[in-house]
Amino acid sequence: MLSYLLSLIFVIPLCFMKKNYWLVQNTLFLISFLFIVNNFYCNYFMSISYYFGSDVISYGLILLSLWICSLMLMASESVYRTSNFFNMFLFLILMLLIFLFLTFSSMSLFMFYLFFESSLIPTLLLILGWGYQPERLQAGIYLLFYTLLASLPLLVGIFYLMNFSFSLSIYLLKDQSIFYDLFYLCMIFAFLVKMPMFLVHLWLPKAHVEAPVSGSMILAGVLLKLGGYGLLRVYPFIMLSGMINNFIWVSISLVGGVLVSLICLRQMDLKALIAYSSVAHMGIVLAGLMTLTMWGISGSYTLMIAHGLCSSGLFCLANISYERMGSRSLLINKGLLNFMPSLSLWWFLLCSSNMAAPPTLNLLGEVCLLNSIVSWSWVTMITLSLLSFFSAAYTLYLYAYSQHGKLLSGFYSSSMGFSREYLLLFLHWFPLNLLIMKAEPCILWL
């Protein structure tokens, strides 16, 4: 793991040289491919250095981080084109990637906490520095306070754990069993806010709407997955409390998912719609994970990977429209089928992935999650059927409203995408549909 970390650190000087934007991006792709080739699929930690190691969960999420960060640079070409402090921009993305890499590969809970919190700083600077509207300051404060307020109890919980079991190694802790409700709440609350669970989700749409495209991509693609990853790591030693108290979180997530889907149906802002759909998807991931069944835990991991690629791709599409139209409103982004016909295919492919149509990885994740939640309690069928229906409804609403209708008269008659944009969308969509051919690492790692 240390070799990858060093290779990322050695890319930092490249950020500050002139005209090295694409070199940095290609280097990140190279590191991603090396990481793919060196795959070590195992359900226990491997390639261990002093504090770092990787198992299947870490492997998938580190790979997702590397991939999304490479694509972020491809999507943010306008920062380079307009010379909008792109050296600093590259540096921030690279620092964020290093923090994410360290978070996912930490074997000590305290190190995990440290890097989990550190990843907040580059994200905040991305939103404040390259965001679009003046409200980005408020969005940044929301992001900071929600996450930090919930994370302090986690730190206290980690110190209590150290006192209780004299170890903070994730690998050694999984045989412990601590039955203490306050400790249980401390350990999971930070992750619930990060997911985000309904009721503590308000920071997410705000942050997404104000963030630049790269900020939205990393938020939807990787930062929401930190919550799920944390829960997968801490549940082994709070299993007993979980079995008693988890029904609360499952109910909030499922009902919240339905309500958020209804909120999606009245959004006029492209980015806000995609951001709220993320909350609905994470709701079902959380509910499945909380059932603590094998189906649920495997399915939540699968859907986290799938949602990371799919949601990130949708944000890229919204940004491509925004760059042409100068607005994210659905009232203006109408009739794109006439305006950018070649992009309508990508809208269709990514929207269908968002609906969990076959053959995407989303379908596999959702089937596993539906299985686990219904087997946990048959009453959940009501909310799940509504969730599935509205999920399809708001995705169709997004597609139909943006592609059909009359084009606004103030625009050119047609506008093609750049090959860079098609490649960007292809690199989101292709892994999403390819991974279902090799689903064993996603499902059979427990």
Side-chain angles (χ1 to χ4, degrees):
M1 298 312 286
L2 219 50
S3 55
Y4 292 109
L5 179 59
L6 283 172
S7 55
L8 286 174
I9 289 170
F10 285 136
V11 178
I12 292 177
L14 290 178
C15 300
F16 295 106
M17 296 178 189
K18 280 187 179 175
K19 296 189 176 175
N20 263 357
Y21 189 85
W22 299 117
L23 178 63
V24 172
Q25 190 229 6
N26 289 330
T27 315
L28 288 186
F29 267 128
L30 180 66
I31 296 171
S32 310
F33 285 122
L34 285 174
F35 198 69
I36 293 172
V37 171
N38 188 7
N39 68 7
F40 23 78
Y41 280 136
C42 247
N43 58 353
Y44 49 83
F45 280 95
M46 298 189 64
S47 63
I48 295 173
S49 54
Y50 188 58
Y51 263 125
F52 305 111
S54 174
D55 62 351
V56 172
I57 317 176
S58 307
Y59 178 82
L61 289 165
I62 290 172
L63 188 53
L64 185 68
S65 308
L66 284 163
W67 195 248
I68 297 283
C69 283
S70 314
L71 294 176
M72 276 161 71
L73 297 180
M74 199 188 270
S76 306
E77 187 258 354
S78 59
V79 173
Y80 178 59
R81 194 178 60 239
T82 55
S83 294
N84 186 4
F85 300 101
F86 68 88
N87 297 110
M88 197 63 207
F89 180 75
L90 283 175
F91 175 67
L92 276 180
I93 287 185
L94 209 56
M95 287 312 295
L96 183 54
L97 177 55
I98 289 170
F99 284 143
L100 286 169
F101 181 86
L102 291 170
T103 309
F104 291 131
S105 58
S106 291
M107 288 181 66
S108 151
L109 261 181
F110 182 73
M111 298 282 278
F112 167 71
Y113 174 81
L114 188 69
F115 296 121
F116 172 76
E117 286 308 308
S118 307
S119 62
L120 202 62
I121 301 163
T123 319
L124 185 68
L125 292 174
L126 272 178
I127 292 175
L128 294 183
W130 288 267
Y132 298 119
Q133 276 85 17
E135 287 87 30
R136 59 180 186 252
L137 192 63
Q138 188 192 4
I141 300 291
Y142 256 64
L143 170 74
L144 206 61
F145 272 83
Y146 264 97
T147 314
L148 285 180
L149 190 69
S151 298
L152 278 173
L154 175 63
L155 186 61
V156 177
I158 288 174
F159 288 153
Y160 173 81
L161 191 61
M162 181 69 201
N163 209 14
F164 179 85
S165 56
F166 304 106
S167 168
L168 283 179
S169 167
I170 293 170
Y171 198 59
L172 297 175
L173 281 171
K174 65 181 183 185
D175 301 325
Q176 296 282 344
S177 184
I178 302 169
F179 184 61
Y180 180 32
D181 285 345
L182 192 60
F183 172 72
Y184 163 78
L185 197 62
C186 284
M187 289 309 278
I188 67 167
F189 193 60
F191 302 130
L192 294 182
V193 172
K194 199 72 174 176
M195 281 289 280
M197 186 182 71
F198 183 70
L199 299 181
V200 283
H201 69 288
L202 286 175
W203 63 271
L204 184 78
K206 257 191 166 39
H208 269 310
V209 169
E210 302 308 327
V213 60
S214 53
S216 290
M217 283 169 73
I218 198 73
L219 259 175
V222 187
L223 293 177
L224 300 189
K225 315 301 173 275
L226 280 170
Y229 175 77
L231 288 173
L232 287 172
R233 288 291 187 224
V234 300
Y235 257 114
F237 54 85
I238 50 172
M239 193 72 81
L240 285 172
S241 303
M243 285 174 175
I244 295 169
N245 299 323
N246 272 359
F247 73 94
I248 305 169
W249 315 117
V250 177
S251 348
I252 292 176
S253 299
L254 290 175
V255 174
V258 176
L259 294 175
V260 166
S261 303
L262 290 171
I263 293 172
C264 279
L265 284 170
R266 54 179 290 276
Q267 289 303 319
M268 276 288 110
D269 186 325
L270 274 176
K271 257 191 166 179
L273 201 160
I274 301 165
Y276 275 111
S277 81
S278 287
V279 180
H281 278 110
M282 285 294 119
I284 194 173
V285 165
L286 194 56
L289 205 158
M290 292 288 186
T291 57
L292 300 178
T293 53
M294 181 174 169
W295 278 97
I297 290 173
S298 308
S300 62
Y301 172 63
T302 312
L303 194 57
M304 280 197 294
I305 301 278
H307 173 264
L309 289 163
C310 171
S311 197
S312 176
L314 282 169
F315 277 115
C316 289
L317 276 169
N319 184 63
I320 291 170
S321 297
Y322 178 65
E323 283 179 356
R324 306 293 194 287
M325 301 288 209
S327 168
R328 289 191 312 262
S329 168
L330 273 171
L331 296 170
I332 291 176
N333 283 284
K334 275 159 66 171
L336 293 184
L337 195 57
N338 298 320
F339 185 60
M340 304 181 77
S342 46
L343 269 184
S344 289
L345 171 68
W346 290 108
W347 272 104
F348 169 72
L349 289 173
L350 285 160
C351 282
S352 59
S353 304
N354 204 35
M355 280 197 279
T360 52
L361 198 59
N362 297 58
L363 177 74
L364 179 69
E366 288 207 10
V367 166
C368 294
L369 289 168
L370 291 175
N371 239 325
S372 68
I373 298 169
V374 172
S375 66
W376 179 77
S377 163
W378 63 268
V379 183
T380 54
M381 282 187 184
I382 304 160
T383 45
L384 280 173
S385 53
L386 287 171
L387 226 164
S388 302
F389 173 74
F390 286 128
S391 168
Y394 64 68
T395 312
L396 282 171
Y397 161 70
L398 168 66
Y399 179 74
Y401 257 64
S402 61
Q403 301 308 306
H404 300 294
K406 196 173 180 185
L407 187 64
L408 207 65
S409 56
F411 293 115
Y412 298 114
S413 58
S414 170
S415 163
M416 289 290 111
F418 299 114
S419 50
R420 169 184 60 83
E421 290 168 344
Y422 295 129
L423 180 62
L424 169 68
L425 295 167
F426 176 76
L427 291 177
H428 275 111
W429 176 82
F430 185 64
L432 188 59
N433 289 265
L434 191 72
L435 281 170
I436 199 153
M437 312 284 276
K438 180 74 180 155
E440 294 95 322
C442 296
I443 299 293
L444 302 177
W445 53 267
L446 268 176

